[in-house]
Amino acid sequence: MIKYFLLLLLPILLSANLTYVFNHNKEVALLESFDIEASFLYDPIMNQMKAKKSTIQKNKHFFKAMDEAYTFIPAIKSILAKHGVPPEFLYLAMAESNFSTRAYSKKRASGLWQFMPATGKLYGLKIDEYVDERRDLIKSTEAAAKYLSHLHKRFGKWYLAAIAYNCGGGRLNHAIKKAGSNELSVLLDPKKKYIPKESRYYIRKIVALAMIGQDEQFLMHSEYEHLLNRANAYSISTVQLSSGDSMRRLSKMVGIPLAELKKLNRHLKYDFVPPYAKGYDVYIPYIKLNEFKRKYTPEPMKNIYKVHVVQRGDNLSYIGKKYGVSYKVIKDFNKLKSYRLKLKQRLIIPIDSRIASKKIDTRHYYMVKKGDTLESISKAYKVSVQNLKLQNHLQNSLIKIGDRLKINE
């Protein structure tokens, strides 16, 4: 009877052993991709992190983040591979932002890869009135891949590139000199504190997340089994809209909910693309690409947006407040070389033409009358002449009867 029982039990034990060996080998290979020795598998802090994050019943945070990033993870992996960065660095983005393009830190780091403004600009990311490309899925990943490649070339090991990404190359270089070694076990010494505590936990967190992400057995026993079947090709496509085109128009034309379109294009500060001369790239789901190619045609902006006819007393600040649009945006959209306007001049206002104009609180404006000067108005309202000029974008002190001057913010 015992023999019979053992014969039944043997295949189960063999299967369990094979699974353990397979998972162990995968984990060792993962560590090798970071240039980390296999002994790191027994790091107690890393294993504690892994155990905490892989308890489905207690914490679904990891899986929800993976699920929400489902559409663009293939694109991230492809870009990393193009620059020779191990695909496991996908989990550096997860550690940085939890795959949220909206992530913003107290230190002003932003986006999927948490770039600071200066570093983002250094690696070609545009930050202006219209866009913050640190939140651009593709461009920020290109920048991060270039930055990580640079750090790897500088320090020679991928785990050092990851640590430098967190605490800075200068600080890591100082730590290596102080420690007399670039070995991970030395740099992680909690007593010597060669690198900041945050960085000591940071590299462990990335490894723990990567191990959970590649644990097929674990995923198969969760409600997120579909994550195993992610497509290896791009799930999103890049298309170009003409200068200043409306995202709302694109949404209706191609049949993509505006909310979904915004989620893929968090880098846009408005519901329209910048009025750059060559147009601007945006992202749509791959399944909508053919429909876009069939239906999209550039349209003159006057047919998309509201057109305002300049009246006596109008200035860009007043018009901008009326429609809830920055005066700088109106200036750019209309390619104005100065802030001066002409009567009956037609201005394109980049808002949906069906949106009603906002009511203006006229108590904050003054209509210039006969005999008025900037000096007399400044004395009457107890504001400086310079203040009036700045608020109303006046190049000199000349004002005309009927001009509407902004007095206070």
Side-chain angles (χ1 to χ4, degrees):
M1 185 68 180
I2 296 173
K3 257 187 202 181
Y4 181 70
F5 177 73
L6 288 173
L7 285 171
L8 286 174
L9 191 61
L10 188 59
I12 298 171
L13 293 172
L14 286 172
S15 176
N17 186 57
L18 287 172
T19 300
Y20 171 79
V21 172
F22 178 71
N23 285 338
H24 178 79
N25 289 341
K26 280 182 71 176
E27 289 179 341
V28 170
L30 186 148
L31 291 178
E32 286 177 355
S33 69
F34 285 101
D35 297 321
I36 299 174
E37 293 182 1
S39 59
F40 193 69
L41 283 177
Y42 307 103
D43 182 86
I45 298 174
M46 187 275 291
N47 280 306
Q48 189 178 13
M49 288 180 176
K50 181 184 170 187
K52 183 180 178 181
K53 291 183 180 294
S54 62
T55 305
I56 299 173
Q57 293 77 10
K58 293 183 179 179
N59 192 349
K60 293 186 178 181
H61 197 62
F62 172 88
F63 295 100
K64 284 182 179 178
M66 291 289 286
D67 206 23
E68 288 178 9
Y70 185 87
T71 54
F72 55 82
I73 282 177
I76 294 174
K77 285 187 172 181
S78 178
I79 293 168
L80 293 176
K82 183 177 76 173
H83 291 278
V85 179
E88 289 79 11
F89 271 81
L90 165 75
Y91 296 97
L92 184 147
M94 191 180 198
E96 286 284 349
S97 66
N98 209 34
F99 291 139
S100 171
T101 50
R102 288 183 293 186
Y104 192 84
S105 77
K106 292 178 182 177
K107 296 180 180 179
R108 295 177 62 225
S110 183
L112 200 69
W113 298 89
Q114 288 291 282
F115 274 109
M116 295 292 285
T119 311
K121 289 178 180 178
L122 181 65
Y123 282 88
L125 299 179
K126 192 183 290 290
I127 304 170
D128 63 17
E129 174 74 31
Y130 301 98
V131 297
D132 185 343
E133 290 181 344
R134 293 177 298 167
R135 296 183 173 190
D136 185 306
L137 297 168
I138 303 301
K139 291 178 182 176
S140 70
T141 302
E142 288 276 359
K146 290 175 185 176
Y147 185 30
L148 286 165
S149 295
H150 164 74
L151 291 172
H152 178 255
K153 187 176 181 181
R154 178 178 176 183
F155 292 103
K157 297 194 183 284
W158 283 115
Y159 68 80
L160 293 174
I163 294 170
Y165 194 96
N166 178 253
C167 69
R171 194 162 189 176
L172 177 60
N173 194 50
H174 176 74
I176 291 170
K177 286 181 179 178
K178 188 176 179 181
S181 172
N182 65 3
E183 291 298 318
L184 185 59
S185 57
V186 177
L187 294 174
L188 293 182
D189 190 320
K191 292 181 180 178
K192 299 289 186 179
K193 299 178 181 178
Y194 293 118
I195 58 176
K197 183 178 180 180
E198 180 189 341
S199 300
R200 298 199 299 271
Y201 278 76
Y202 182 78
I203 186 63
R204 290 174 165 120
K205 184 178 181 180
I206 295 169
V207 172
L209 290 171
M211 285 184 175
I212 298 168
Q214 74 165 17
D215 191 339
E216 294 181 6
Q217 291 294 318
F218 182 62
L219 286 171
M220 283 173 65
H221 292 90
S222 76
E223 62 185 282
Y224 296 95
E225 187 178 353
H226 62 275
L227 293 174
L228 290 168
N229 302 316
R230 266 198 311 265
N232 290 321
Y234 276 78
S235 301
I236 58 175
S237 294
T238 305
V239 297
Q240 188 172 76
L241 300 187
S242 59
S243 174
D245 208 342
S246 164
M247 296 293 279
R248 189 181 296 274
R249 174 174 176 258
L250 174 64
S251 168
K252 290 179 179 178
M253 184 181 294
V254 188
I256 308 170
L258 187 58
E260 184 180 348
L261 206 51
K262 286 182 177 180
K263 186 178 178 181
L264 292 175
N265 296 278
R266 298 284 190 203
H267 53 292
L268 297 178
K269 293 182 179 179
Y270 299 96
D271 285 349
F272 50 78
V273 300
Y276 303 152
K278 294 182 180 179
Y280 195 75
D281 289 344
V282 298
Y283 308 114
I284 63 172
Y286 176 77
I287 57 173
K288 291 290 184 178
L289 181 59
N290 286 334
E291 196 168 352
F292 174 86
K293 289 178 178 178
R294 283 199 324 269
K295 293 182 177 179
Y296 182 77
T297 53
E299 183 83 5
M301 283 193 284
K302 64 182 180 181
N303 295 339
I304 303 173
Y305 300 115
K306 193 170 184 69
V307 176
H308 175 88
V309 180
V310 176
Q311 299 173 1
R312 187 175 295 277
D314 280 352
N315 59 46
L316 286 182
S317 180
Y318 167 80
I319 296 168
K321 186 172 179 67
K322 179 176 181 178
Y323 294 106
V325 181
S326 165
Y327 69 87
K328 293 179 181 177
V329 171
I330 299 174
K331 185 173 183 285
D332 290 347
F333 263 75
N334 293 276
K335 297 181 172 60
L336 303 177
K337 293 182 179 179
S338 74
Y339 291 102
R340 298 187 71 84
L341 303 175
K342 298 176 184 177
L343 280 175
K344 296 184 179 180
Q345 182 177 356
R346 296 171 71 83
L347 297 176
I348 294 164
I349 312 296
I351 60 168
D352 192 311
S353 58
R354 296 168 303 171
I355 298 174
S357 301
K358 294 183 178 181
K359 290 184 179 179
I360 305 170
D361 185 353
T362 54
R363 291 173 298 175
H364 294 293
Y365 290 82
Y366 177 79
M367 186 76 75
V368 176
K369 300 178 180 64
K370 187 175 181 179
D372 281 340
T373 63
L374 280 186
E375 287 77 8
S376 66
I377 296 169
S378 72
K379 287 178 182 177
Y381 287 92
K382 296 180 181 179
V383 293
S384 69
V385 172
Q386 184 64 20
N387 191 319
L388 284 174
K389 283 184 177 180
L390 288 171
Q391 287 189 65
N392 295 280
H393 313 293
L394 299 175
Q395 303 297 319
N396 51 49
S397 296
L398 295 176
I399 52 175
K400 304 188 297 295
I401 296 171
D403 281 354
R404 192 186 297 267
L405 296 181
K406 188 176 185 180
I407 303 298
N408 295 302
E409 287 290 348

